[in-house]
Amino acid sequence: MDAATAAPLAPAAPPTPDAVDLARAAGQGPLDYLRARGYVQDVTDEAGLRAAFAAGPVTLYQGFDPSAASLHIGNLLGIMMLAATQRFGHRPIALAGGGTMLVGDPSGKTSTRALLDSEAIAANLAGIKTQFARHLDFAGGAFVADPPNPAAMLLDNADWLLELRYIPFLRDVGRHFSVNEMLTAETYRTRLQEGGGGLNFVEFNYRLVQAYDFLYLSRTEGCALQIGGSDQWGNIVAGVDLVRKADGGKAFGLVCPLLTTASGQKLGKSVGNSVWLDPALTSPYDYYQHWVNTEDADVARLLRLFTFLPEDRIAALTAASGRALREAKAVLAREATALQHGPEASAEAEAASRALFGG
């Protein structure tokens, strides 16, 4: 899978000037921008990553497992991070986990994942690959003109993981991993405790194959940064270490918080159901309604994470409280829906909402 397979969509034009435009004009780099907007929980080497960004275009990636026919709002945080760094002139790779999905990520799971077969994974990949094109520029030059921002890439790790030979992989990659160290990881430790559901050998190897993705992309694409959710910290650090041990390379990892609402509900759930990015599964109207029904305490944070609105605009919108926050919620819904489904679909959803609810 590559950029040429992406649907002929284009990222929705954000407000001009948007938050990234203003940050770049003020001399702010992508790491400072990401931290200011609330995307950063941990970085492996902050000073080194900042220097890498300053030295020229950095290639970075995040993996997305095709566990369903669509991505959901929980995945959108990573897509927004890729989109923001591309707007600073760097090169993002959206990595579909067609290979790692055959293994199954045990992170955050108390029991073994139900493994999908190759046909189901292929069907899911076909559904999700077009969803990146609303946010990332696969042609290049859409966000930064001089020099033009690099084109994003869409890859599938099945293209290299399924070609691996077992004994050479154990010898060349497995020797860099300590079983003792892996057993101290929270994911493995929890599963191995009494009542933890156990851990099978396939799952135990997940960290190796995810780390190998980083090594492979470092070698083939010059990739220097992996991003992801905080539940992936151990896997990402393993990839950083593998690049160093195997090739003497310099690599970085950055993770964002796993988001919950002010009431403790997992972000991306609406009355217990996932909010999908595919309009066939969650209509633009329902998508808009999810955002417009944001809890008061979450509005400012979500405006920073899921829109490119400038900080002063967000501050002005969220200075009020109570019913006066309705406009801020409407702006959040309008901007987030436009980014995902386009301005026309957003306007239609807003008009329908106002017709039904008067706001």
Side-chain angles (χ1 to χ4, degrees), residues 60-63 210 214 223-228 235-236 239 252-254:
L60 67 152
Y61 85 99
Q62 177 162 343
Q210 181 172 327
F214 204 167
C223 186
L225 170 64
Q226 181 183 178
I227 65 172
N235 292 333
I236 290 174
F252 306 93
L254 183 154

Side-chain angles (χ1 to χ4, degrees), residues 32 36 59 83 105 121 138 141 173 184 191 227 231 262 266 299 324 347-348 351:
D32 291 326
T59 297
D105 182 4
I121 292 173
F138 288 100
V173 175
T184 66
R191 291 282 295 276
I227 65 172
D231 61 331
K266 188 176 181 180
V299 177
E348 290 174 356

Side-chain angles (χ1 to χ4, degrees), residues 263-275:
S263 61
Q265 187 178 36
K266 188 176 181 180
L267 187 73
K269 300 288 185 180
S270 182
V271 197
N273 299 315
S274 291
V275 180

Side-chain angles (χ1 to χ4, degrees), residues 18-45:
D18 66 15
V20 174
D21 293 330
L22 295 175
R24 293 178 68 240
Q28 189 178 53
L31 184 54
D32 291 326
Y33 172 86
L34 292 174
R35 186 175 290 285
R37 300 289 283 199
Y39 292 107
V40 178
Q41 177 164 315
D42 286 303
V43 187
T44 56
D45 176 3

Side-chain angles (χ1 to χ4, degrees), residues 4 6 16 23 35 44 61 83 99 103 134 147 152 156-158 161 178 222 253 265 271 275 299 313 326 334:
T16 303
R35 186 175 290 285
T44 56
Y61 85 99
V103 176
R134 284 291 189 189
D156 180 359
N157 62 14
L161 291 181
S178 163
Q265 187 178 36
V271 197
V275 180
V299 177
R313 173 74 168 138
R326 291 176 64 184
R334 181 188 312 138

Side-chain angles (χ1 to χ4, degrees), residues 14 24 47 73 75 92 100 107 125-126 138 160 183 195-196 205 260 267 269-270 283 295 309 331 336-337 346 352:
R24 293 178 68 240
I73 285 181
N75 303 121
T100 42
S107 302
L125 284 171
F138 288 100
W160 54 86
L183 290 175
N205 280 272
T260 57
L267 187 73
K269 300 288 185 180
S270 182
S283 70
E295 296 178 41
L309 287 178
V331 172
T337 306
S346 177

Side-chain angles (χ1 to χ4, degrees), residues 55-189:
V58 169
T59 297
L60 67 152
Y61 85 99
Q62 177 162 343
F64 299 87
D65 277 344
S67 56
S70 172
L71 299 174
H72 53 75
I73 285 181
N75 303 121
L76 188 55
L77 192 63
I79 298 174
M80 289 294 292
M81 293 169 69
L82 293 177
T85 53
Q86 188 177 31
R87 283 162 168 79
F88 275 94
H90 301 280
R91 183 172 70 145
I93 297 174
L95 180 64
T100 42
M101 193 66 204
L102 290 168
V103 176
D105 182 4
S107 302
K109 299 296 180 182
T110 58
S111 60
T112 300
R113 288 175 181 259
L115 295 181
L116 301 180
D117 60 28
S118 298
E119 290 74 18
I121 292 173
N124 289 346
L125 284 171
I128 71 172
K129 65 185 181 183
T130 62
Q131 293 165 14
F132 296 104
R134 284 291 189 189
H135 301 272
L136 303 177
D137 169 25
F138 288 100
F143 303 129
V144 184
D146 186 22
N149 63 267
M153 300 183 71
L154 179 58
L155 303 177
D156 180 359
N157 62 14
D159 292 341
W160 54 86
L161 291 181
L162 299 188
E163 300 301 317
L164 288 174
R165 293 188 298 162
Y166 188 58
I167 297 302
F169 180 76
L170 288 180
R171 182 193 63 210
D172 298 336
V173 175
R175 67 188 179 89
H176 294 297
F177 289 80
S178 163
V179 172
N180 290 345
E181 183 178 323
M182 289 174 67
L183 290 175
T184 66
E186 182 179 359
T187 293
Y188 298 134
R189 188 176 67 250

Side-chain angles (χ1 to χ4, degrees), residues 220-263:
T220 60
E221 302 295 341
C223 186
L225 170 64
Q226 181 183 178
I227 65 172
S230 59
D231 61 331
Q232 294 297 314
W233 177 252
N235 292 333
I236 290 174
V237 170
V240 170
D241 289 343
L242 180 60
V243 171
R244 175 180 55 82
K245 291 175 180 177
D247 289 353
K250 184 65 176 175
F252 306 93
L254 183 154
V255 294
C256 62
L258 294 181
L259 294 185
T260 57
T261 65
S263 61

